[in-house]
Amino acid sequence: MGVSQASFSAALFDPAMAAPSGLVSGPEGRRFNVYRNNVVVSLTEALKTGFPVIARLLGDENIDGLARLYLRTHPPTTPVMQRFGDTFPDFLASLDQLDHLGYLPDVARLELALRRAYHAADAAAVDPAQLAEIPPEKLANVTVTLAPAVQILRSDWPIHAIWAYNTQPDAPTPQPGAQDVLVTRPGFDPVPDLLPAGGAAFFAALQGGAPIGTALEAIGTPDFDLTRALTLALQGGAFTAISLTE
Amino acid sequence: MHPTLPNAPGIGFKPQHFAELTADPGPVAWIEVHAENYMGDGGRPQAQLAHLADRMPVSVHGVGLSIGGEDPLDRDHLDRLARVVDRAGAASVSEHLAWSSHGGAYFNDLLPLPYTDATLARVAAHIDQVQDRLARPILLENPSSYLSFTESTWSETDFLAELTRRTGCGLLLDVNNVFISATNLGLGATDYIDTFPLDRVGEIHVGGHDRETDETGAPLLIDSHGKPVADPVWTLLDYTLARSGPRPVLVEWDNDVPDWLVLRDEATRAADALDRLPERMETRRWA
């Protein structure tokens, strides 16, 4: 009777399970543990590489334990490791013992967004002058196409401040409050920018094809800083096309 | 006609070495990339790959196709591999005699196979499928092993020889893996080389391993790719090249990646091994 890959793989993620019989693998099947260790360590490292801020916030011991639980319940479904962890934010949100760290899932979503932006397709950004040439009274009729790298996030937590505090030496201590973030990729390195309040809804509407005027109405924030939002988008190369509809 | 790998040293490319490699490759005549790291749509990885592919031959080395898997091959992943091969203008395409996925889960490790008639038929069918999709032969790499299967009826070298006969594939001979498996399974490394179908070898790997001791006091070598190549592996490379003739030799260093100059010195050592071969040695290619 041969060793099936079903029995081999079931024992990989479950240290309580004996090594499959039919292996010549040393006393008590201990050599099997080399594969167990390779799988768990390599995937744990991949998770920590993909979510460095989450790893830092939780600390080494906690992230290692959490990774083992995540791997058992959500093993990777693709050999493309850049996609590993798509379900990690929801997994973090599902754990009762992390309720006191309510911001973790959204910080993980920001890290996932940065990774997606890094690998997104290249696209030529429009010259910012193209938007400047449009008369202000016609701005409401402008539609844009967003670059594939653009990611839009809205959180009840100060995710941009938390991310900055854990990646930049001089960043200020995060203060409570919701934050919207726009991720762009002006060159090869993704940039997360803090948006004025309502910014995520605004860019989501633009992404859906709405003209700027309609997008502004949709967010319902009368004092929305449109200039700031458009400046960040243009600096980040977020627009690959601008067109004026009548 | 595809370009081919030169009988010279190559390195496993790491993004942190991009500037130094492109400024002065030294003895490095070609590079190898892990296919799965270049399966995104764009950005820096694709830009670096395109830049390097314009300047030197690229070997595309897959680590995730699970050619030894009981499950059918993942057609989407095979399509992704084909795209990387195309983008890199690959001089060589290789994969492993191993499995890494089962039941929709991916384990990020190269897992071992029993060498039976049933495994042979399955792996041969998968290699045929890959070679049909890519419209070119691939090289299949011998694994590093920590255990064996009681059900095996073939030796690994006979198994690989039969696979090349059935599918027309070539072989990637990892001499570090040979040394690791021989030590861990209590076999002779040079015996393995003596029975290996060297005329089918299109590329040779060397790399670092970790030396541990198991609970019986026996040495246990781990294929870590995180250290310089060990002296007995360089010796085994000399032994192999003296029998195979010159081949493309790749230095793998995937974990705790060193500074460029350290890696370049390893490539120089591979160049020295090739230079030591007699001038008039036959340079027959595998295909």
Side-chain angles (χ1 to χ4, degrees), chain A residues 30-66:
Chain A
R30 295 260 183 106
R31 292 287 176 97
F32 183 79
N33 288 344
V34 177
Y35 294 101
R36 271 184 173 137
N37 191 59
N38 283 350
V39 169
V40 171
V41 170
S42 75
L43 287 173
T44 299
E45 287 307 310
L47 199 65
K48 285 154 83 168
T49 303
F51 297 95
V53 171
I54 296 296
R56 188 182 149 109
L57 286 167
L58 285 171
D60 270 343
E61 249 176 63
N62 291 324
I63 187 73
D64 286 354
L66 205 62

Side-chain angles (χ1 to χ4, degrees), chain A residues 3-244:
Chain A
V3 179
S4 72
Q5 291 180 356
S7 64
F8 197 103
S9 54
L12 279 176
F13 280 131
D14 188 352
M17 199 180 279
S21 58
L23 302 176
V24 184
S25 72
E28 298 161 37
R30 295 260 183 106
R31 292 287 176 97
F32 183 79
N33 288 344
V34 177
Y35 294 101
R36 271 184 173 137
N37 191 59
N38 283 350
V39 169
V40 171
V41 170
S42 75
L43 287 173
T44 299
E45 287 307 310
L47 199 65
K48 285 154 83 168
T49 303
F51 297 95
V53 171
I54 296 296
R56 188 182 149 109
L57 286 167
L58 285 171
D60 270 343
E61 249 176 63
N62 291 324
I63 187 73
D64 286 354
L66 205 62
R68 274 159 181 70
L69 181 61
Y70 179 64
L71 297 177
R72 271 211 296 281
T73 52
H74 302 73
T77 55
T78 166
V80 185
M81 279 291 103
Q82 76 195 43
R83 296 189 196 165
F84 178 45
D86 281 2
T87 56
F88 193 54
D90 288 345
F91 168 79
L92 291 172
S94 74
L95 297 177
D96 291 344
Q97 65 266 39
L98 295 180
D99 274 353
H100 64 297
L101 306 173
Y103 49 84
L104 282 182
D106 282 352
V107 173
R109 286 183 185 104
L110 174 55
E111 296 206 278
L112 206 50
L114 291 167
R115 182 150 40 115
R116 285 177 180 152
Y118 184 78
H119 291 286
D122 304 323
V126 297
D127 182 346
Q130 212 181 317
L131 192 63
E133 284 162 11
I134 294 171
E137 68 275 13
K138 291 191 174 169
L139 201 56
N141 296 330
V142 167
T143 59
V144 299
T145 306
L146 297 186
V150 170
Q151 310 281 320
I152 303 157
L153 296 109
R154 200 208 74 78
S155 176
D156 290 335
W157 303 92
I159 54 170
H160 187 272
I162 294 169
W163 177 85
Y165 186 69
N166 286 281
T167 55
Q168 294 159 13
D170 302 327
T173 309
Q175 301 300 318
Q179 286 191 331
D180 288 5
V181 178
L182 182 73
V183 175
T184 57
R185 199 186 77 202
F188 289 135
D189 294 307
V191 177
D193 278 312
L194 179 61
L195 287 172
F202 174 70
F203 281 104
L206 291 187
Q207 194 168 44
I212 285 176
T214 312
L216 283 173
E217 287 163 23
I219 62 173
T221 309
D223 56 351
F224 179 68
D225 190 346
L226 178 63
T227 305
R228 169 98 184 124
L230 291 178
T231 302
L232 288 173
L234 289 167
Q235 281 172 352
F239 300 150
T240 58
I242 292 175
S243 54
L244 185 58

